[in-house]
Amino acid sequence: MSEPRALVIGAGLAGCEAAWQLLRRGIPVTLRDMKPGKKSPAHVSDGFAELVCSNSLRSDRLQNAAGLLKEEMRRLDSLIMRAADRARVPAGGALAVDRELFSGYITEELLGHPGLRFEEGEATELPGANAVIATGPLTSDALSGAIAALPGMKDLHFYDAAAPIVLKDSIDMDKAFLASRYGRGEDDYINCPMDEETYRAFYRALIAAETAPVHGFEESKVFEGCMPVESMARRGEMALAFGPLKPVGLVDPRTGKRPFAVLQLRRDDASDSLYNLVGFQTRLKFPEQKRVFGMIPGLEHAEFARYGVMHRNTFLNAPELLGPDFMVKGSEGLYFAGQITGVEGYIESAASGLCAGVQLALRLRGKAPAAFPGSTAIGSLCRYVSTFNRNYQPMHVSFGLIDPIQEKVRRKEERCLRVSELALAGIEALKPQLA
Ligand SMILES: Cc1cc2nc3c(=O)[nH]c(=O)nc-3n(C[C@H](O)[C@H](O)[C@H](O)COP(=O)(O)OP(=O)(O)OC[C@H]3O[C@@H](n4cnc5c(N)ncnc54)[C@H](O)[C@@H]3O)c2cc1C
């Protein structure tokens, strides 16, 4: 009898992690992606696991649910986490990576694995069984059509925006300063301070600036967690000063004072030449980005390595379609993983790939699905995608999704740490079942 082979469609974060979890359990994998021959409007590189916008995988602290999720994945030998830890660039309490090194490591590990076969080509139909579909928020139109025809499916499209990246040596460091908020980490961020007058002038220019037309775009269809900076500004003159431009935890060394507002730029590559404008995802027209963002002290002559863009975000009505193991209910081993399931963000997408890969491997080994407990970050995502929800929306991991602890702990940080301790114990206890 020939060995069962799994099919993984999509070599993004979720698909790579799913393939890896199958391979490390001895299941041979065919990994298929339409890249490099055909690319979505946001993908530019030929490698696997491309980070299409920010290079940040968010917090790396256990007091934060994104930090907990990453630690759970490390404990389960995640390929994405191995790559991230190797490609890390300084970013305060966050885990940010050099995207080329990150993608390069994953591509080499997978292509070098004797159990993996890579096939280039667009999938246009749904596979029948023993497959993971991880084609992301920009799933090609033909496959989107096939997915939309699944029973109980509503074809949902939302819109997200991506932030621009500028060249470091084009930032005026006579005006900007290096620091991390609250002094966490080294001086990892470039900070552009604004006084009140500059802030208000910038605000007026921003809300009046011309945006690029996006077919089918409506303001109400923007995902809250990825709101374009100009849309957020329209909520009120101080919205940015309390949002992405908040100055708390930062002191301008030239004045010895906290500025009125601060734009932070985070390092985007290991060679320290690219910086992204944190929280400045936008759909302004490119010349408007140069003009309006150039009003920020330090960015007057900034050269843009990449402008911000608006993009479609396709996701399933997962609670109708999927079980907590990410398998299509009633199917013969057809799984979805990644952002297309309605988990939101790089690390959540990779975590769902981990889960789908593990579950398909268990199935192919004739074992029952494993139940990730709701006290873990991974388990909380499994529960989120599979629990009835009238208004199902893309969702980041958060302590709000994870089971609360019974004991009373007054301080929030300590409470979060306690939740993390229990979650990691839950993962350790589950490991023998996942082997
Ligand atoms: C422009 C943009 C900016 C974003 N910014 C951020 C951010 O800053 N931070 C964050 O956490 N998340 C961001 N996201 C969300 C991000 O896409 C996800 O977090 C993550 O990349 C999703 O991983 P994935 O594996 O599900 O999909 P992807 O990483 O998109 O991978 C999907 C893969 O499937 C392939 N594919 C698609 N259709 C087919 C087909 N029919 N046949 C074969 N292959 C196919 C694609 O080529 C791609 O390689 C952004 C998304 C976009 C589009």
Side-chain angles (χ1 to χ4, degrees):
M1 210 172 80
S2 69
E3 182 121 36
R5 176 170 276 274
L7 171 65
V8 177
I9 306 180
L13 287 121
C16 288
E17 186 63 52
W20 176 251
Q21 294 295 333
L22 284 152
L23 289 167
R24 65 185 292 281
R25 288 172 175 79
I27 309 285
V29 174
T30 300
L31 177 62
R32 184 185 181 108
D33 200 290
M34 60 186 192
K35 287 200 325 179
K38 177 170 175 174
K39 294 192 175 96
S40 83
H43 289 84
V44 291
S45 88
D46 290 350
F48 297 166
E50 176 177 351
L51 300 176
V52 284
C53 176
S54 157
N55 66 328
S56 172
L57 306 183
R58 314 209 304 283
S59 174
D60 205 19
R61 306 168 72 228
L62 286 177
Q63 293 90 332
N64 184 298
L68 169 62
L69 182 60
K70 288 195 270 294
E71 186 54 29
E72 289 182 8
M73 293 171 68
R74 285 189 185 100
R75 305 270 177 119
L76 297 172
D77 189 25
S78 153
L79 177 64
I80 296 297
M81 287 314 304
R82 265 204 219 175
D85 289 332
R86 278 178 167 77
R88 180 189 281 269
V89 296
L95 173 55
V97 300
D98 178 308
R99 65 184 79 224
E100 296 294 323
L101 295 180
F102 174 78
S103 160
Y105 178 80
I106 293 164
T107 308
E108 274 176 30
E109 284 295 304
L110 288 175
L111 289 181
H113 196 291
L116 187 115
R117 187 194 300 154
F118 177 68
E119 275 177 9
E120 183 188 333
E122 179 183 356
T124 54
E125 287 171 9
L126 290 175
N130 301 336
V132 179
I133 302 175
T135 44
L138 299 171
T139 294
S140 73
D141 288 344
L143 189 61
S144 292
I147 293 169
L150 279 168
M153 262 300 300
K154 287 181 239 161
D155 190 18
L156 296 175
H157 286 163
F158 263 65
Y159 287 87
D160 284 351
I165 294 178
V166 296
L167 300 183
K168 182 186 184 187
D169 61 11
S170 68
I171 301 169
D172 184 350
M173 291 307 292
D174 288 337
K175 296 182 179 162
F177 64 93
L178 293 169
S180 286
R181 212 181 283 284
Y182 302 113
R184 277 182 198 143
E186 305 287 310
D187 290 345
D188 295 339
Y189 289 80
I190 294 179
N191 300 279
C192 297
M194 284 185 244
D195 60 22
E196 185 170 350
E197 197 184 325
T198 311
Y199 173 83
R200 291 190 192 278
F202 169 72
Y203 159 77
R204 285 191 297 273
L206 181 62
I207 56 166
E210 249 190 288
T211 51
V214 183
H215 183 63
F217 171 77
E218 296 165 38
E219 198 80 343
S220 64
K221 289 217 160 187
V222 174
F223 172 55
E224 186 73 26
C226 225
M227 162 115 350
V229 63
E230 62 276 9
S231 302
M232 190 182 287
R234 280 193 206 101
R235 293 181 165 182
E237 194 165 2
M238 292 305 288
L240 297 181
F242 287 103
L245 296 181
K246 62 178 180 288
V248 290
L250 292 167
V251 173
D252 184 343
R254 281 180 208 90
T255 61
K257 292 191 184 139
R258 184 163 98 176
F260 185 78
V262 179
L263 168 68
Q264 289 205 298
L265 291 99
R266 183 178 49 234
R267 192 205 276 204
D268 206 79
D269 62 338
S271 64
D272 197 21
S273 55
L274 301 172
Y275 274 71
N276 66 63
L277 281 62
V278 177
F280 263 40
Q281 49 275 3
T282 182
R283 62 186 174 106
L284 293 193
K285 284 186 166 174
F286 292 174
E288 291 288 79
Q289 292 186 36
K290 198 167 175 53
R291 179 180 72 81
V292 178
F293 299 157
M295 293 172 72
I296 297 172
L299 298 189
E300 293 87 344
H301 305 292
E303 283 175 45
F304 287 75
R306 194 185 65 198
Y307 286 102
V309 288
M310 194 81 193
H311 69 89
R312 177 166 58 83
N313 183 1
T314 300
F315 62 98
L316 310 170
N317 186 15
E320 285 261 325
L321 197 72
L322 303 181
D325 53 359
F326 287 90
M327 191 177 92
V328 175
K329 290 174 197 166
S331 76
E332 289 300 316
L334 178 62
Y335 295 77
F336 278 90
Q339 180 115 350
I340 195 168
T341 66
V343 297
E344 169 67 31
Y346 296 143
I347 211 70
E348 288 85 347
S349 295
S352 74
L354 183 151
C355 192
V358 167
Q359 303 285 14
L360 176 52
L362 292 175
R363 184 183 173 87
L364 289 170
R365 290 272 171 259
K367 295 186 185 169
F372 284 83
S375 58
T376 64
I378 296 177
S380 76
L381 292 175
C382 299
R383 179 166 57 196
Y384 181 70
V385 298
S386 58
T387 303
F388 174 75
N389 183 336
R390 203 179 297 281
N391 183 27
Y392 186 64
Q393 304 265 333
M395 186 66 90
H396 282 305
V397 70
S398 73
F399 282 116
L401 295 181
I402 303 172
D403 289 347
I405 47 168
Q406 298 307 319
E407 61 210 273
K408 290 243 175 309
V409 182
R410 289 254 311 273
R411 283 193 58 231
K412 190 177 166 206
E413 290 233 329
E414 280 171 26
R415 206 164 55 240
C416 294
L417 271 177
R418 185 73 190 117
V419 173
S420 292
E421 260 172 45
L422 291 176
L424 293 173
I427 290 292
E428 293 298 337
L430 189 66
K431 266 185 182 176
Q433 265 188 66
L434 308 181

